[in-house]
Amino acid sequence: MRLHPAYLAHCTGGEPVTIEAFSYGSTNRLYVEYVKRSDPYAMTLDHFHSYYEVYYLISGSRVYFVKDRTYRVEQGDLVFIDKSVVHKTLQGAAPEHERMVVHFTDAWLNEQAGSDAALLLEPFRQESPVIRLPRSDLRSVDAVVRRLLGEIRLKPPGYGLVPSGAVTELLLSTARCLQENAHIGLDGDTSPKHAKIFEVVRYLNEHYDETVKLGEIASRFYISPYHLSRAFREVTGFTFSDYLQLTRVKEAQRQLMETDLPIAEIAVSCGFDNFSHFGKTFKKITRQSPRDYRKGARF
């Protein structure tokens, strides 16, 4: 665990901006990270991963794009991101916020929960990834989170024994709450602009393997290319082309792990008409060549 307060100059006025952050563990098994920000921030990385993620907003507000929809996340909300789901956080009403993120793998989960692993994954199986707990349940979960972060921050003797139990308790509490309260998942933003972009996103998710051009998609959905490009980035946080390439690479990763198809054939099946472009795009997003990724995934 590292604690590193950083004092930065704000890009617009020179006022000091304090960022506090610390973490525990590794993404190979269990990882917990706390960040408090007072500066404007949006994720810059094209983001999906092979482990589960739990996001808990301790204070402030954020906008969260998950899979094909945008959600407005408020203090106390939990966001459950399944493996290989594209997601991105954007600035909410104000830049100030603090959050905890938990990452864990199947290996950690099975070791920790055994036959109850499926129960702990229930929050990831809901139609909405954003859960707003009833007040009484939220108080209990918030207490667990603050105890966990306090242990990681202060590192008292034996603090390493706490994270696994605390994360398990958080997952179990949420799963039980979902069994008792069927309608605590939040709906995504339903404004006309968001609804239109969600249609486009769903189309890309289903047709990434075809030749896709911005102008043709704009025509299909009765919107100008300029307005589609602008609205797509505003709603999702991604450019149109970045989202399309990310979706294609995500599918390529799946095929590299799960099939023995030649890499060139996988590139074509994922919508890349140029093998060299596929290799460069894949490495830019994953930091590995397709061949190295396949070797590592099967090691």
Side-chain angles (χ1 to χ4, degrees):
M1 184 276 289
R2 293 183 298 174
L3 179 64
H4 45 90
Y7 298 90
L8 307 176
H10 193 282
C11 61
T12 58
E15 293 297 323
V17 175
T18 303
I19 299 178
E20 181 184 6
F22 55 85
S23 62
Y24 166 87
S26 75
T27 54
N28 292 328
R29 295 189 62 78
L30 175 67
Y31 176 77
V32 180
E33 180 185 83
Y34 167 87
V35 171
K36 182 177 182 179
R37 296 183 182 274
S38 59
D39 57 321
Y41 171 78
M43 287 172 59
T44 56
L45 295 176
D46 295 336
H47 211 58
F48 65 90
H49 36 63
S50 60
Y51 42 79
Y52 303 96
E53 176 175 315
V54 182
Y55 179 103
Y56 180 67
L57 190 60
I58 300 169
S59 67
S61 65
R62 299 290 288 166
V63 174
Y64 218 127
F65 175 79
V66 184
K67 190 177 181 180
D68 63 2
R69 195 157 299 239
T70 301
Y71 301 84
R72 299 192 179 278
V73 180
E74 303 294 338
Q75 178 178 339
D77 288 346
L78 287 155
V79 186
F80 293 88
I81 309 296
D82 206 348
K83 296 183 297 182
S84 299
V85 170
V86 175
H87 58 285
K88 195 166 191 174
T89 58
L90 308 169
Q91 184 171 310
E96 298 84 3
H97 69 283
E98 59 180 323
R99 55 78 168 160
M100 179 190 75
V101 169
V102 174
H103 297 156
F104 64 89
T105 62
D106 282 309
W108 175 85
L109 178 66
N110 292 329
E111 180 181 289
Q112 190 72 16
S115 60
D116 289 317
L119 173 62
L120 299 191
L121 289 178
E122 277 299 309
F124 298 89
R125 305 293 180 249
Q126 306 303 305
E127 182 175 348
S128 172
V130 183
I131 303 297
R132 183 165 291 171
L133 298 172
R135 188 175 299 276
S136 59
D137 297 281
L138 175 58
R139 282 198 294 266
S140 299
V141 165
D142 189 72
V144 171
V145 169
R146 293 181 185 278
R147 185 179 78 247
L148 166 61
L149 295 178
E151 291 281 332
I152 296 173
R153 177 189 279 116
L154 299 175
K155 296 192 296 187
Y159 80 98
L161 299 173
V162 174
S164 286
V167 172
T168 300
E169 186 176 351
L170 185 156
L171 294 172
L172 180 59
S173 296
T174 307
R176 287 175 173 174
C177 186
L178 285 166
Q179 291 180 341
E180 299 171 1
N181 304 272
H183 304 292
I184 57 176
L186 297 190
D187 294 329
D189 197 314
T190 56
S191 69
K193 178 171 65 176
H194 282 74
K196 177 67 72 174
I197 296 303
F198 299 154
E199 287 184 55
V200 174
V201 169
R202 285 192 290 271
Y203 182 88
L204 296 181
N205 289 344
E206 296 171 2
H207 298 273
Y208 60 84
D209 56 337
E210 303 172 8
T211 299
V212 177
K213 296 182 179 179
L214 176 65
E216 294 175 357
I217 299 302
S219 178
R220 172 182 288 272
F221 289 95
Y222 306 102
I223 184 173
S224 74
Y226 170 78
H227 284 100
L228 173 56
S229 178
R230 183 176 179 179
F232 195 96
R233 183 159 194 167
E234 181 181 336
V235 170
T236 69
F238 298 95
T239 67
F240 180 90
S241 60
D242 283 349
Y243 183 83
L244 178 59
Q245 302 295 13
L246 188 65
T247 303
R248 287 171 167 168
V249 167
K250 182 162 69 78
E251 173 59 18
Q253 286 183 302
R254 186 193 68 79
Q255 293 191 35
L256 287 166
M257 286 191 295
E258 299 178 6
T259 77
D260 294 316
L261 291 172
I263 294 176
E265 189 173 330
I266 290 175
V268 172
S269 72
C270 293
F272 290 94
D273 56 7
N274 182 292
F275 184 73
S276 176
H277 181 230
F278 167 65
K280 290 178 181 178
T281 302
F282 190 96
K283 189 167 186 177
K284 178 182 177 182
I285 291 174
T286 69
R287 306 295 188 266
Q288 292 179 291
S289 69
R291 190 178 305 278
D292 289 342
Y293 181 85
R294 172 172 267 175
K295 290 179 180 178
R298 297 183 174 185
F299 178 72

